[in-house]
Coordinates of all heavy atoms in Angstrom, one line a residue:
T259 N -82.5 126.3 7.1 CA -82.3 127.4 6.1 C -83.6 127.6 5.3 O -84.2 126.6 4.9 CB -81.1 127.1 5.2 OG1 -80.0 126.9 6.0 CG2 -80.9 128.2 4.2
Y274 N -88.7 118.5 15.0 CA -87.3 118.2 15.1 C -86.9 118.2 16.6 O -86.2 117.3 17.0 CB -86.4 119.3 14.4 CG -85.0 119.0 14.5 CD1 -84.5 117.8 13.9 CD2 -84.1 119.8 15.1 CE1 -83.1 117.5 14.0 CE2 -82.8 119.6 15.2 CZ -82.3 118.4 14.6 OH -80.9 118.1 14.7
K289 N -85.0 116.3 32.0 CA -84.2 117.4 32.1 C -84.4 118.3 30.8 O -84.0 119.5 30.8 CB -82.7 117.0 32.2 CG -82.4 116.3 33.5 CD -80.9 116.0 33.5 CE -80.6 115.2 34.8 NZ -79.2 114.8 34.8
I297 N -83.2 129.9 12.6 CA -83.7 129.9 11.3 C -82.9 130.9 10.5 O -82.9 132.1 10.8 CB -85.2 130.3 11.2 CG1 -86.1 129.4 12.1 CG2 -85.7 130.3 9.8 CD1 -87.5 129.9 12.4
N300 N -82.8 133.7 3.8 CA -82.3 134.5 2.8 C -83.2 134.8 1.6 O -82.8 134.9 0.5 CB -81.0 133.9 2.2 CG -81.2 132.7 1.4 OD1 -82.1 131.9 1.7 ND2 -80.4 132.5 0.4
K309 N -92.9 136.5 14.8 CA -93.8 137.6 15.1 C -95.2 137.0 15.5 O -95.9 137.6 16.2 CB -94.0 138.5 13.9 CG -92.8 139.5 13.8 CD -93.1 140.5 12.7 CE -91.9 141.5 12.7 NZ -92.1 142.5 11.7
Y314 N -99.7 136.3 21.4 CA -100.0 135.7 22.7 C -99.6 136.6 23.8 O -98.6 137.4 23.6 CB -99.4 134.3 22.9 CG -99.9 133.3 21.9 CD1 -99.3 133.2 20.6 CD2 -101.0 132.5 22.2 CE1 -99.7 132.3 19.7 CE2 -101.4 131.6 21.3 CZ -100.8 131.5 20.0 OH -101.3 130.6 19.1
P315 N -100.2 136.6 25.0 CA -99.8 137.4 26.1 C -98.3 137.2 26.4 O -97.8 136.1 26.3 CB -100.6 136.9 27.3 CG -101.8 136.3 26.6 CD -101.3 135.7 25.3
Y321 N -93.5 130.0 26.8 CA -93.9 128.6 26.9 C -94.4 128.0 25.5 O -94.8 126.8 25.5 CB -95.0 128.4 27.9 CG -94.6 128.9 29.3 CD1 -95.0 130.0 29.9 CD2 -93.7 128.1 30.0 CE1 -94.6 130.4 31.1 CE2 -93.2 128.5 31.3 CZ -93.7 129.7 31.8 OH -93.3 130.0 33.1
L330 N -82.4 134.6 11.8 CA -81.3 135.4 11.3 C -81.6 135.6 9.8 O -81.5 134.7 9.0 CB -79.9 134.8 11.5 CG -78.8 135.5 10.8 CD1 -78.6 136.9 11.3 CD2 -77.5 134.7 10.9
A353 N -72.8 135.0 -0.2 CA -73.5 134.3 -1.3 C -75.0 134.3 -1.0 O -75.8 134.5 -1.9 CB -72.9 132.9 -1.5
F367 N -68.2 141.0 -3.0 CA -67.7 139.7 -3.5 C -66.2 139.8 -3.7 O -65.5 138.9 -3.4 CB -68.4 139.3 -4.8 CG -69.7 138.6 -4.5 CD1 -70.9 139.2 -4.7 CD2 -69.7 137.2 -4.1 CE1 -72.1 138.6 -4.5 CE2 -70.9 136.6 -3.9 CZ -72.1 137.2 -4.1
P379 N -56.2 127.5 2.7 CA -55.3 126.8 1.8 C -55.8 126.7 0.4 O -57.1 126.7 0.2 CB -55.2 125.4 2.5 CG -55.7 125.6 3.9 CD -56.6 126.8 3.8
N414 N -60.4 115.4 -8.1 CA -61.0 114.6 -9.1 C -62.4 114.2 -8.8 O -62.7 113.1 -8.4 CB -60.1 113.3 -9.3 CG -60.6 112.5 -10.5 OD1 -61.4 113.0 -11.3 ND2 -60.2 111.2 -10.5

Side-chain angles (χ1 to χ4, degrees):
T259 303
Y274 182 64
K289 293 180 183 176
I297 302 169
N300 71 324
K309 282 188 178 181
Y314 296 90
Y321 299 109
L330 173 61
F367 275 102
N414 187 19

